[in-house]
Amino acid sequence: MSSFKFYIPTAVECDRGISRKIGEILKSNQAQKALIVTDQGIRKAGLLRTIEQSLTEHEISYDVFDETEPNPSAESIMKGLERLKTVGTDHVVAVGGGSSIDTAKGIAIMACNTGHILDYEGVGKIPNPGYPLIVIPTTAGTGSEVTASTIVTNSLTRFKTAVISPYLFPKLALLDAELTLKLPADITAATGMDSLTHAIESYTSKTATPISRAFAIQAIELIGRNLPKAYYVGDDIESRENMLVASMLAGAAFSQSRLGNVHAISHTLGGIFNIAHGIANAVLLPYVMKFNLPACPDKMRDIASALGADTTGLTFREAGDKALQLVCSMNEALHIPRTIQQLGVSLELLPKMVEDSMRSGNVLINPRLTTPADIKAIIENAYQGNL
Ligand SMILES: [Fe+2]
């Protein structure tokens, strides 16, 4: 690549316990009232307690919208917007995983734009910046705290649509590993593999840049070293923190490069079958890596090295095979199913799955040229376990 741009306006602060500074931060931003966007699981787990205390201590009034749903629908975003307008807030704070963050992005942007969130499907269609958004991720996976996109499901068509605009970059991301210590192992696995998928798809994307590749390869290395420990030990704060950093780095990488076929297909599976995003990516990743390997064996070799393989004396292709094996071993260690059939996918809707996947802009920047027949074959292989 001879020319490229790099743009991430989001400030990032990482420290243990930093989420307790939210009141102080909002005060210094002259905030009067904040809308916290989260889900009921986060609230029940008690993760809002110290954040609410901090807001009260700094006399920031707030309201909580906890109706975020997995694979958030456009309706849930418009419902959150109604709440924002009713209670009259001037800042939005997302506390949660990718669904809460994407819902908060939709609410914050629609606060200053007319119409419906689905009117803005695609790239660069939003005319006005939204309310300031501060993001506190409670999973290490989505990277949405540093990206310019929100993923919204159209409940009528079950199509997951991407709204992409520089106005969707949050103002600030607070990475607080203390909030992730009690994350259940299965969610640690699924979200961590989502991050690894972001990093690998970004690294191999046709539109990767020298800066996005630097972020992506660092994320791959951190995930290889820390995800198994975060999964098996859980309250190991160092591995949790490293996963939060890796997730942010992978997000920063793909905010520049976009993704590839794994996300094109997984968004389809999420939209049609309501399958959790991270787990769908984890299962699909090896099948797409195998498909992509002939197109970018040199980059696959780099991925194998970042994941700890000794690639001395191997050809690019042999080393790339090691990357595939290591990702499969990681899935196995994290008890991720081998097939999308095990996730509840049915092939009855295969033509729609192929059609919806091809609609994703991610197919166009996947490293290997991809036809509808290729997508069909990848889905069938992932269904049957043909690797
Ligand atoms: Fe993702």
Side-chain angles (χ1 to χ4, degrees):
M1 166 166 293
S2 58
S3 70
F4 66 89
K5 290 181 187 169
F6 177 80
Y7 179 66
I8 300 184
T10 307
V12 176
E13 291 187 39
C14 176
D15 199 4
R16 295 166 195 180
I18 197 162
S19 61
R20 296 196 289 272
K21 287 194 175 167
I22 185 69
E24 191 183 323
I25 291 166
L26 284 172
K27 192 89 184 167
S28 68
N29 285 350
Q30 278 88 45
Q32 302 289 323
K33 187 164 189 175
L35 181 70
I36 300 178
V37 178
T38 190
D39 65 48
Q40 288 168 12
I42 296 287
R43 214 170 185 181
K44 281 184 197 142
L47 294 179
L48 286 194
R49 208 175 301 127
T50 55
I51 291 168
E52 290 183 276
Q53 269 170 10
S54 171
L55 293 172
T56 306
E57 277 166 23
H58 290 84
E59 297 171 335
I60 305 284
S61 60
Y62 65 91
D63 193 42
V64 179
F65 177 73
D66 66 0
E67 294 171 56
T68 292
E69 35 181 49
N71 296 314
S73 66
E75 289 73 28
S76 66
I77 290 173
M78 298 311 281
K79 197 171 173 186
L81 177 66
E82 277 312 305
R83 176 73 72 81
L84 176 141
K85 287 181 173 167
T86 308
V87 297
T89 61
D90 50 28
H91 278 66
V92 179
V93 178
V95 183
S99 299
S100 291
I101 301 172
D102 280 4
T103 300
K105 282 178 164 180
I107 294 170
I109 205 70
M110 291 309 296
C112 304
N113 288 280
T114 54
H116 194 276
I117 183 75
L118 291 175
D119 299 339
Y120 300 108
E121 176 180 358
V123 183
K125 298 196 177 147
I126 299 174
N128 305 311
Y131 277 7
L133 170 64
I134 297 176
V135 173
I136 305 175
T138 60
T139 63
T142 167
S144 192
E145 66 273 18
V146 289
T147 70
S149 54
T150 181
I151 306 295
V152 186
T153 301
N154 180 332
S155 5
L156 290 177
T157 61
R158 303 305 307 161
F159 183 69
K160 277 180 100 167
T161 203
V163 179
I164 302 171
S165 162
Y167 295 142
L168 285 169
F169 278 115
K171 183 181 172 73
L172 174 65
L174 299 177
L175 309 185
D176 183 352
E178 288 180 2
L179 297 181
T180 65
L181 292 177
K182 289 185 181 156
L183 201 63
D186 58 337
I187 299 178
T188 301
T191 51
M193 288 305 292
D194 185 26
S195 277
L196 184 62
T197 308
H198 295 157
I200 290 177
E201 295 216 283
S202 174
Y203 192 75
T204 55
S205 158
K206 274 189 205 164
T207 47
T209 73
I211 298 177
S212 71
R213 280 215 183 91
F215 284 173
I217 205 75
Q218 170 74 2
I220 293 167
E221 192 178 322
L222 280 170
I223 295 165
R225 287 185 182 182
N226 292 282
L227 179 53
K229 196 161 184 185
Y231 178 78
Y232 281 102
V233 182
D235 62 357
D236 180 72
I237 193 146
E238 200 177 327
S239 54
R240 289 294 193 182
E241 192 164 69
N242 284 331
M243 283 304 300
L244 267 179
V245 172
S247 164
M248 179 274 296
L249 287 171
F254 89 76
S255 77
Q256 308 299 302
S257 64
R258 293 184 285 147
L259 293 158
N261 284 351
V262 179
H263 274 76
I265 301 171
S266 75
H267 282 161
T268 301
L269 302 187
I272 298 175
F273 302 101
N274 207 20
I275 294 168
H277 175 70
I279 198 87
N281 282 333
V283 176
L284 289 165
L285 180 59
Y287 299 95
V288 173
M289 284 177 77
K290 187 174 182 191
F291 172 76
N292 284 338
L293 180 55
C296 53
D298 52 339
K299 295 191 183 74
M300 291 292 188
R301 195 256 329 245
D302 297 343
I303 292 167
S305 300
L307 288 172
D310 180 1
T311 57
T312 316
L314 299 182
T315 63
F316 284 161
R317 183 69 192 249
E318 287 165 344
D321 263 329
K322 285 211 167 192
L324 182 59
Q325 288 160 23
L326 285 167
V327 168
C328 289
S329 307
M330 181 84 88
N331 270 350
E332 208 171 301
L334 303 177
H335 302 106
I336 305 257
R338 270 179 56 85
T339 70
I340 54 173
Q341 187 180 10
Q342 291 165 277
L343 303 182
V345 170
S346 136
L347 291 188
E348 274 170 36
L349 295 171
L350 187 56
K352 176 172 169 54
M353 288 154 72
V354 174
E355 191 186 325
D356 283 0
S357 301
M358 289 301 294
R359 252 177 90 179
S360 164
N362 287 318
V363 171
L364 297 175
I365 43 104
N366 185 75
R368 178 170 166 180
L369 187 67
T370 304
T371 64
D374 294 326
I375 292 287
K376 180 170 177 281
I378 292 168
I379 293 173
E380 285 171 338
N381 286 336
Y383 184 85
Q384 287 150 6
N386 289 336
L387 195 60

